[in-house]
Amino acid sequence: MRKVYLDNNATTQVDPIVVEAMASFYLENYGNASSVHGFGQKAKAAVEEARESVASLIGAEPREIVFTSGGTEADNLALKGIAARYGSRGAKIITAKTEHPAILRTAELLEQRGFRVSYLDVDSSGIISIEDVEQEIDDDTLLISLMCANNETGTIQPLEDIAVLARERGVFLHTDAVQGVGKMALDVTTLKVDLLSLSAHKFHGPKGVGALFVRDGVELEPVMLGGSQERKRRGGTENVPGIVGLGRACQRADECRESFQALASELRGRLETGFTERIPDIVINGAEAKRLPHVSNISFKGVQGESLLIGLDIEGIAVSTGAACSSGSVSPSHVLTAMGLPAETINGAIRFSLGRMSAEEDIKYLLDVVPAVVSRMREMTPLYKS
Ligand code: PLP
C-alpha cells in the first residue's frame, strides 16, 4: 500500500541534507557554544553561521535573530517579552480569534496580568478587516499580533497594510509566521513587522528549534532566565545541532521556494479539481482568499472529519482535522468556527497540506482512494442525504 503524507502543516520530513549538516554537531563537534576551547569555538561559529542563514532568508540582520526551542517559545517570548518590557506604555493587545494556541493562551495569561486583549473577528475566508484593526487601536494599544498564514486553512492576512497602520500609530507588530517562513517570500525590510516567529520543523528542518526576529532597537524582557546566551534574550545552552539544522533548512527553503510553490500549486489544483469532479457536496474552506499554495482545507458534507481521518489512515493517507483533541473529547476547530461556517462544514473538515517531497503519484492515489472512502462513510450515516 502506498504511504501518502499530506500533513506537512503539522510537521515535515527533515531534508537529508539538513540531517547531514547536523550530524557532526552530535558526533564530533559537540562542544558547548559558550566554551572557550576549540570544540566550543567550532560550535559557536556554526551557531553564528546559522544565524546568518536565518537572517538572510527573511531579510534581517543576524543580530536581530534570537534562537528558541520553536514557534511556541518564539510566540511566548514576543508577547510576554514586549508586555513585560513596555507594559508601562500601554495595556492593550490586539490579536485575532484564528491565531494559534501559542498566541491565544499567552494572550489569555496576559489578560490575567492586567492587559486588555481584543480578539478580532474574521470573515468567512478567515481574513481580518483592516478597518477593524484601525478601530481597535487606541492610545493604550501596545502590541498587535497577527499570524501571517493560517495553519488550518493557509489563508494569508494582509500584513503589509497592518504594518503601515501599526507604524503610523506607534504600536509594536508581531507576526506568527511559523506557517509562512520557508514557503512564501517574507522579507522584514519590506514587511515592516517588529517581531516575527518561525519554526524549523515546518519547512523540512528539525523539531524543537526556531527563532524570533526582533527588530533592532526593540527590547525584550527574557522569558527563559539563565545564562547570558542570545545576548541575554534567551538563557540556556544553545541547541547547536538544531540551530545548524535550522540554518541549513533556511538555505534549502530559499533555494527551493520557487520550485516548491510551482509544485504545490500544480498538485493542489489537481487535488481540488479532482475532488470537485469526483465527490459531490464538498466545500473548499478559505478558497476565496489568498492562500498558501500547499494547503487545502476541505469539508465533506455528512462525514465526521475524525472518522474520515481514520478511514484515510487505514488507506495509508496521513492528513489532519483542525479540531483539537484533549482528554478524549474533540472540540470543533476554533478557526473554522471563527469563520462562521455551519456546524456540518466544521465537523466534516480535513486539512491536506503538501510538502517539498509530495509527488504527482500521491495526488493520483488520493483521487483513486478518497472518493470511495467518503462514499462508504456517507452510506453508513443518516446524516447524509444527497
Ligand atoms: N504557530 C503556528 C501558526 C503553528 O502552526 C505552530 C505549529 O503548529 C506553532 C505556532 C507552534 O510551533 P512549534 O511546533 O514549533 O512550537
Side-chain angles (χ1 to χ4, degrees):
M1 184 176 58
R2 198 178 169 87
K3 291 268 181 211
V4 178
Y5 185 78
L6 289 180
D7 200 11
N8 287 278
N9 277 16
T11 198
T12 54
Q13 180 189 340
V14 184
D15 186 327
I17 291 174
V18 170
V19 176
E20 201 185 314
M22 293 170 70
S24 82
F25 292 91
Y26 285 114
L27 302 172
E28 294 145 31
N29 303 313
Y30 43 77
N32 183 321
S34 301
S35 299
V36 289
H37 47 63
F39 283 86
Q41 292 313 304
K42 268 205 172 137
K44 172 95 183 141
V47 167
E48 294 316 313
E49 197 184 312
R51 202 184 303 280
E52 280 174 25
S53 303
V54 177
S56 162
L57 181 68
I58 59 167
E61 291 297 328
R63 62 177 177 275
E64 295 176 311
I65 301 300
V66 180
F67 290 119
T68 66
S69 65
T72 300
E73 188 189 324
D75 285 346
N76 270 260
L77 179 57
L79 269 60
K80 292 178 188 164
I82 290 289
R85 174 66 186 79
Y86 297 103
S88 58
R89 274 200 203 171
K92 180 168 177 184
I93 296 169
I94 300 172
T95 185
K97 289 184 177 164
T98 48
E99 292 293 313
H100 188 271
I103 295 293
L104 294 175
R105 298 293 90 77
T106 307
E108 286 162 15
L109 178 86
L110 292 174
E111 278 188 280
Q112 289 166 21
R113 294 183 182 167
F115 283 83
R116 285 184 298 128
V117 182
S118 157
Y119 299 90
L120 297 172
D121 288 321
V122 295
D123 67 14
S124 59
S125 300
I127 303 299
I128 51 133
S129 108
I130 306 284
E131 290 72 37
D132 286 356
V133 181
E134 204 162 3
Q135 260 177 19
E136 282 297 330
I137 301 178
D138 61 18
D139 292 343
D140 196 34
T141 305
L142 177 66
L143 171 71
I144 300 173
S145 178
L146 291 170
M147 69 197 336
C148 136
N150 188 267
N151 45 305
E152 291 187 27
T153 58
T155 54
I156 297 172
Q157 295 293 357
L159 266 187
E160 292 85 359
D161 301 337
I162 295 157
V164 172
L165 205 58
R167 281 273 160 118
E168 274 171 17
R169 305 291 298 268
V171 174
F172 290 114
L173 176 60
H174 165 251
T175 186
D176 175 342
V178 165
Q179 294 292 347
V181 170
K183 320 266 179 58
M184 61 193 278
L186 273 173
D187 189 320
V188 295
T189 51
T190 47
L191 180 65
K192 305 271 184 225
V193 294
D194 300 297
L195 304 126
L196 177 150
S197 304
L198 60 94
S199 178
H201 76 103
K202 304 293 184 181
F203 55 102
H204 305 283
K207 294 170 183 61
V209 61
L212 180 67
F213 156 77
V214 186
R215 191 173 290 284
D216 261 345
V218 176
E219 293 173 12
L220 283 178
E221 207 58 57
V223 169
M224 204 67 88
L225 300 173
S228 56
Q229 291 91 349
E230 297 299 293
R231 300 165 80 222
K232 299 194 176 145
R233 293 177 290 187
R234 201 273 186 183
T237 299
E238 294 89 345
N239 169 7
V240 179
I243 289 170
V244 167
L246 168 59
R248 196 73 185 88
C250 286
Q251 291 172 359
R252 292 289 292 153
D254 217 8
E255 290 157 12
C256 302
R257 187 170 54 242
E258 277 176 24
S259 58
F260 171 60
Q261 285 180 339
L263 172 81
S265 304
E266 167 73 22
L267 296 185
R268 184 181 67 183
R270 286 190 196 193
L271 175 85
E272 292 185 345
T273 311
F275 277 177
T276 306
E277 284 167 2
R278 291 168 177 77
I279 312 174
D281 293 321
I282 64 168
V283 185
I284 302 169
N285 300 309
E288 302 78 33
K290 228 168 120 186
R291 280 185 297 162
L292 290 173
H294 64 282
V295 188
S296 185
N297 188 303
I298 305 183
S299 292
F300 299 84
K301 188 179 170 193
V303 175
Q304 283 291 328
E306 291 72 38
S307 315
L308 184 52
L309 184 149
I310 293 161
L312 295 182
D313 188 39
I314 293 167
E315 302 287 347
I317 299 168
V319 292
S320 154
T321 65
C325 185
S326 59
S327 341
S329 70
V330 180
S331 52
S333 151
H334 73 285
V335 173
L336 302 183
T337 303
M339 287 161 65
L341 304 182
E344 189 180 36
T345 305
I346 298 172
N347 294 336
I350 290 284
R351 177 185 71 190
F352 301 86
S353 48
L354 299 147
R356 258 191 348 240
M357 285 72 169
S358 299
E360 199 183 321
E361 286 304 313
D362 294 336
I363 304 303
K364 280 197 186 135
Y365 182 69
L366 250 76
L367 295 181
D368 279 349
V369 170
V370 180
V373 176
V374 171
S375 156
R376 267 203 312 276
M377 290 193 166
R378 282 177 171 170
E379 276 163 22
M380 289 185 305
T381 173
L383 291 174
Y384 182 71
K385 291 178 200 70
S386 59

